[in-house]
Amino acid sequence: MPSHPEIIIEAGKSEHHYWRDVWRYRELFYFLAWRDILVRYKQTAIGLAWALVRPLFTIIVFTLIFGRLARLPSEGAPYSALVLVGMIPWQFFASAVNEASLGLANKENIITKVYFPRIIIPISGVIVNLVELAVGLAMLAVLLAWQQVAVTLNMLFLPLILLPALLLTFGCAVWVSALSVRFRDFRQVVPFALQMGLYISPIAYSAAIIPERWRVWYALNPFTGIIEGLRWSVFASSPTPPLQELAISLGIATLATASGIAYFRSIEKRFAELL
Amino acid sequence: MSYAIQAESVGKSFILHHQRNRPNDSLRDALAGSLSHLGRSLLRREETDQTEEFWALKDISFEIRPGERIGLLGRNGAGKSTLLKILSRTLEPSTGRIRIRGRIASLLEVGTGFHPELTGRENIYFNGAMLGMSKAEIGRKFDEIVDFAEVEQFLDTPVKHYSSGMYVRLGFAVAAHIDPEILIVDEVLAVGDARFQKKCIGKMHEISEEGRTLLFVSHNMHSIMQLTQRALVLDRGQMVCDADTRDAVTKYLSADAGEDISLPLRAKVDWIDDVNFRWLRQETDIGFNKPLNFQFCFTTEQHTSRLVVTIGFINTIGALVLTCKAELDHLQAGPQQFRLSISDHHLTPGTYFVRLDLWGSDEHLLEQDNVCTVDLFSASTDDRLIQRIARRRGDKFGCYAPITLQILHASESHQHD
């Protein structure tokens, strides 16, 4: 029998070995994610294909409206691929954050009965969405091959640029999951904010259409740096990556994660009472 | 000194919000709250706060040694669940400190976290992981769990199609196989059939015999008596008793009886008044065939002759299983107080409703069903049949008396033919 260290529960004191506990429960990440994936695709007629259908139709619609009808510039890249590159991090972010707003409430029966570090729930929620991210990347590979986009060394940077997207998603998911337990309003706010975000981020269009003088402000949206960075790596559209914007994105993502974890932990112990 | 759980003046308070001041669970409330707070402090106007602090637990201290089997008793709202939730770390205490040595598994509700869409197999893995088992450990115990739960046939069926019995069995099986050093069990035995309840009790015995600590909460005194050695009694958030289970159960039940001092009974004639009848619960030992004592008072305005008192015991399925009778030739007018003792009643452990009848001067003076309830418990010193009956809620059995069996010669009895 594995010997367990002494646990001390004291009023008003935070967990002494929180991160050690997270490590001890590391398999739960996998199990929660696995369960959510199973549940999500069980009893749906086309199963995992849903991960393909959503981005596919969004791309078709956006390409028709913005590329064909509005004739927005795409800087030489195929418009559909331009949209897909924008959609990949956004879709990942949006569905992870949206689920985070419901995640803790859906797991109320577990939270009120069993102890484990609660932060595992938003983290594993993000892990679940990695599946769709992978599907999106596979789609991109197919689309690029079909559109005969040249393969460049820039593409090696793609995973590196996805890193701030991951971090940002995680930070926001932690924030939103804690806030939506504390304030029910967030279940309404989140879908609305995400809908806005879809339009104010350079997803359906290239950031090049933003007038020069607004660029600085526009870069404060962390998705500007991420998406433009990805486009740089995929299409090699400019000689240098948008380093400044990427630095802003990384900074915001780090800040969101650090503050998110701090806030989450500050109210975590009251979850069972608040739910 | 070694301990498994040590609690030092643990308390838990909840803030009750009254209608006027709802909790800040919507954003507007929080914003409005901080604004009005600002306004209040600017205007320096004291406003009566509509919140109230409620202590669900207050100053609870105890120590449980490794391998002890502890019962937790208390009426609804006494704070049992709050204490268990604090021990299983889903609620944070407001005061005090708890030290726990060893892995805790709590069965606060069997099947916690089962997902209805997932199959039995998937849920075993998921539930096990949530209770703190590693994947390898679950794999090792998998067959044992399935065996115990008796669900082999339905392993690949989503648990939403399970019967409630199967659901509970599977939940208990997973939790019981975690190999916790400390197992917290809350009311599982209320569900499941008699055979499975027995199996659960057996498993819990096994766990405690392996030197693990058991904390058991139930309203079923029979199982508390069977499983635990020591019991804590909670009442309105405070610990009122920490003693040997037998004493604690008696104390718990008699505290209960003290509260429900029976309503004054109505006689059938107007010259008898102030009738009161009560079972002296605290004087009744736990175990089979222990003397039962009752107190009976009334005031009579007439001299009564040939007084007869009968006490009937009716079991939970409505059968009158025993009637006891006492007689008195003469009774003077005035207030009367009696003590009635029944020594050899042979009632099996269970619940009985008491019926009272009084005759005197050739009249039926009093006739009352259900004057009080008597709960009888078996003790571990009782004979095994009694213990088995008690476990199966032997209310249906009524009285039990041994038979003297005499073997006669078979050849003699056949000679009639």
Side-chain angles (χ1 to χ4, degrees):
Chain A
M1 212 185 301
S3 71
H4 274 248
E6 179 168 302
I7 299 162
I8 299 173
I9 306 169
E10 213 168 345
K13 280 213 177 156
S14 62
E15 235 35 85
H16 289 265
H17 306 289
Y18 193 77
W19 297 106
R20 193 194 61 193
D21 268 2
V22 172
W23 177 246
R24 192 192 295 288
Y25 280 90
R26 62 193 177 277
E27 283 192 343
L28 199 54
F29 286 105
Y30 158 74
F31 276 111
L32 270 172
W34 170 71
R35 182 181 98 149
D36 282 352
I37 292 170
L38 270 180
V39 171
R40 182 183 299 185
Y41 298 114
K42 236 175 200 189
Q43 292 213 331
T44 57
I46 58 171
L48 201 62
W50 275 114
L52 274 173
V53 169
R54 271 200 306 180
L56 194 67
F57 278 87
T58 323
I59 294 163
I60 292 172
V61 170
F62 280 8
T63 309
L64 283 178
I65 293 176
F66 294 99
R68 291 285 156 79
L69 297 177
R71 294 188 182 283
L72 292 178
S74 68
E75 296 171 339
Y79 208 88
S80 54
L82 182 100
V83 171
L84 182 58
V85 171
M87 280 308 288
I88 287 171
W90 176 259
Q91 194 88 58
F92 171 67
F93 174 82
S95 52
V97 170
N98 195 31
E99 269 157 38
S101 72
L102 307 167
L104 289 173
N106 285 346
K107 297 192 169 56
E108 183 195 340
N109 63 335
I110 309 176
I111 290 173
T112 53
K113 304 280 157 48
V114 191
Y115 169 81
F116 55 86
R118 308 299 186 211
I119 203 148
I120 291 177
I121 293 178
I123 297 178
S124 79
V126 173
I127 295 175
V128 172
N129 284 286
L130 284 175
V131 175
E132 292 196 10
L133 184 74
V135 172
L137 288 174
M139 259 175 91
L140 181 66
V142 172
L143 188 64
L144 290 180
W146 183 48
Q147 299 277 7
Q148 290 172 331
V149 174
V151 176
T152 61
L153 277 180
N154 283 5
M155 287 184 182
L156 290 178
F157 288 96
L158 190 117
L160 204 65
I161 299 170
L162 275 175
L163 219 59
L166 267 173
L167 199 62
L168 182 73
T169 305
F170 173 62
C172 291
V174 171
W175 260 113
V176 162
S177 61
L179 281 171
S180 54
V181 174
R182 183 77 180 78
F183 305 106
R184 302 277 150 82
D185 303 61
F186 273 84
R187 285 166 217 171
Q188 311 295 324
V189 170
V190 168
F192 175 70
L194 288 175
Q195 204 178 9
M196 293 290 108
L198 180 63
Y199 295 106
I200 61 170
S201 305
I203 294 161
Y205 49 85
S206 160
I209 65 165
I210 306 292
E212 198 69 49
R213 60 200 163 96
W214 294 107
R215 286 281 172 86
V216 183
W217 299 107
Y218 196 65
L220 285 180
N221 175 352
F223 268 97
T224 308
I226 292 166
I227 293 173
E228 287 306 302
L230 288 174
R231 283 177 182 156
W232 165 81
S233 99
V234 173
F235 306 119
S237 45
S238 60
T240 54
L243 282 177
Q244 238 181 342
E245 285 89 339
L246 272 172
I248 294 175
S249 306
L250 190 62
I252 293 178
T254 314
L255 194 71
T257 304
S259 60
I261 290 175
Y263 180 66
F264 192 93
R265 290 204 52 197
S266 75
I267 72 161
E268 176 182 32
K269 288 195 157 191
R270 291 170 53 210
F271 280 169
E273 286 166 55
L274 290 168
L275 276 170
Chain B
M1 190 182 153
S2 82
Y3 54 83
I5 301 175
Q6 185 191 49
E8 291 166 36
S9 57
V10 172
K12 175 73 191 167
S13 71
F14 290 102
I15 305 293
L16 300 180
H17 293 269
H18 295 298
Q19 201 56 42
R20 243 195 51 145
N21 226 357
R22 283 176 301 135
N24 293 337
D25 57 2
S26 87
L27 193 58
R28 195 202 59 200
D29 288 345
L31 294 175
S34 58
L35 278 181
S36 73
H37 182 76
L38 188 73
R40 222 180 302 154
S41 52
L42 283 176
L43 294 171
R44 279 208 196 155
R45 198 175 49 190
E46 279 303 312
E47 215 171 296
T48 45
D49 222 356
Q50 293 286 326
T51 59
E52 185 188 320
E53 206 174 32
F54 165 73
W55 286 87
L57 279 184
K58 219 169 179 180
D59 202 24
I60 303 288
S61 302
F62 58 87
E63 196 169 280
I64 297 175
R65 287 186 298 283
E68 260 193 307
R69 284 168 289 162
I70 305 284
L72 190 56
L73 296 167
R75 266 174 290 166
N76 289 333
K80 301 185 301 282
S81 308
T82 309
L83 181 60
L84 292 191
K85 282 187 172 174
I86 290 175
L87 287 176
S88 55
R89 301 166 78 193
T90 55
L91 277 184
E92 191 195 6
S94 310
T95 63
R97 182 158 66 160
I98 298 173
R99 292 158 176 271
I100 297 169
R101 282 191 191 151
R103 172 149 79 171
I104 281 202
S106 61
L107 267 167
L108 294 190
E109 212 169 85
V110 179
T112 294
F114 274 8
H115 196 291
E117 293 292 347
L118 299 184
T119 65
R121 182 190 306 276
E122 289 159 348
N123 269 311
I124 291 178
Y125 274 96
F126 180 66
N127 203 233
M130 215 167 45
L131 293 168
M133 268 202 266
S134 71
K135 199 179 165 203
E137 242 179 306
I138 304 168
R140 251 193 336 267
K141 299 258 170 79
F142 190 84
D143 290 339
E144 230 178 296
I145 293 172
V146 174
D147 247 23
F148 189 88
E150 301 163 28
V151 291
E152 294 92 331
Q153 262 180 292
F154 308 97
L155 260 186
D156 295 304
T157 310
V159 296
K160 66 177 174 186
H161 299 307
Y162 277 29
S163 71
S164 54
M166 284 157 67
Y167 200 87
V168 170
R169 288 207 301 267
L170 190 60
F172 184 86
V174 175
H177 286 84
I178 312 169
D179 276 350
E181 276 105 353
I182 302 166
L183 182 66
I184 298 179
V185 184
D186 186 5
E187 287 306 1
V188 234
L189 303 175
V191 259
D193 56 16
R195 199 178 60 86
F196 187 69
Q197 288 187 7
K198 200 173 146 193
K199 209 165 155 184
C200 292
I201 293 203
K203 184 73 194 173
M204 286 194 266
H205 262 303
E206 208 177 283
I207 286 172
S208 68
E209 267 153 30
E210 286 165 18
R212 296 158 210 264
T213 313
L214 180 73
L215 189 58
F216 182 58
V217 182
S218 176
H219 287 289
N220 185 340
M221 296 301 139
H222 303 289
S223 19
I224 291 254
M225 296 272 309
Q226 278 207 315
L227 267 174
T228 66
Q229 312 145 320
R230 198 178 114 198
L232 314 176
V233 183
L234 290 179
D235 186 30
R236 274 165 254 149
Q238 274 164 331
M239 191 139 82
V240 290
C241 179
D242 175 357
D244 188 76
T245 302
R246 185 180 298 220
D247 298 341
V249 166
T250 315
K251 179 143 192 208
Y252 168 66
L253 292 174
S254 49
D256 230 23
E259 197 117 320
D260 58 36
I261 286 179
S262 45
L263 330 155
L265 303 170
R266 283 274 299 271
K268 293 172 86 162
V269 290
D270 54 8
W271 47 273
I272 286 186
D273 211 359
D274 297 332
V275 189
N276 210 302
F277 184 87
R278 192 156 73 89
W279 173 40
L280 302 170
R281 196 191 287 255
Q282 63 278 13
E283 289 180 17
T284 307
D285 285 334
I286 279 162
F288 175 65
N289 209 15
K290 300 288 185 210
L292 286 171
N293 298 325
F294 297 89
Q295 196 183 46
F296 185 27
C297 324
F298 59 88
T299 306
T300 167
E301 292 165 11
Q302 287 181 18
H303 170 265
T304 317
S305 63
R306 269 194 51 78
L307 189 79
V308 178
V309 183
T310 66
I311 299 176
F313 293 86
I314 294 159
N315 68 8
T316 49
I317 52 170
L320 179 64
V321 292
L322 176 70
T323 304
C324 306
K325 184 176 112 179
E327 288 178 331
L328 207 64
D329 283 341
H330 295 286
L331 193 66
Q332 298 300 324
Q336 308 292 339
Q337 188 170 5
F338 304 98
R339 183 186 157 89
L340 302 160
S341 299
I342 306 172
S343 52
D344 249 346
H345 52 74
H346 284 101
L347 286 171
T348 54
T351 302
Y352 298 93
F353 306 108
V354 176
R355 177 195 160 94
L356 178 69
D357 284 279
L358 183 67
W359 285 269
S361 308
D362 294 325
E363 264 189 282
H364 199 174
L365 306 177
L366 179 83
E367 177 184 26
Q368 186 79 48
D369 269 322
N370 212 355
V371 286
C372 66
T373 312
V374 171
D375 300 299
L376 301 177
F377 300 98
S378 69
S380 47
T381 49
D382 286 337
D383 95 48
R384 287 184 54 191
L385 177 67
I386 292 295
Q387 289 197 43
R388 193 168 331 141
I389 287 171
R391 207 176 302 146
R392 298 225 178 134
R393 299 188 139 270
D395 323 76
K396 303 177 202 61
F397 288 81
C399 301
Y400 159 75
I403 303 172
T404 311
L405 188 75
Q406 221 179 341
I407 302 174
L408 304 174
H409 277 292
S411 51
E412 282 173 29
S413 59
H414 280 292
Q415 276 176 352
H416 287 288
D417 303 321

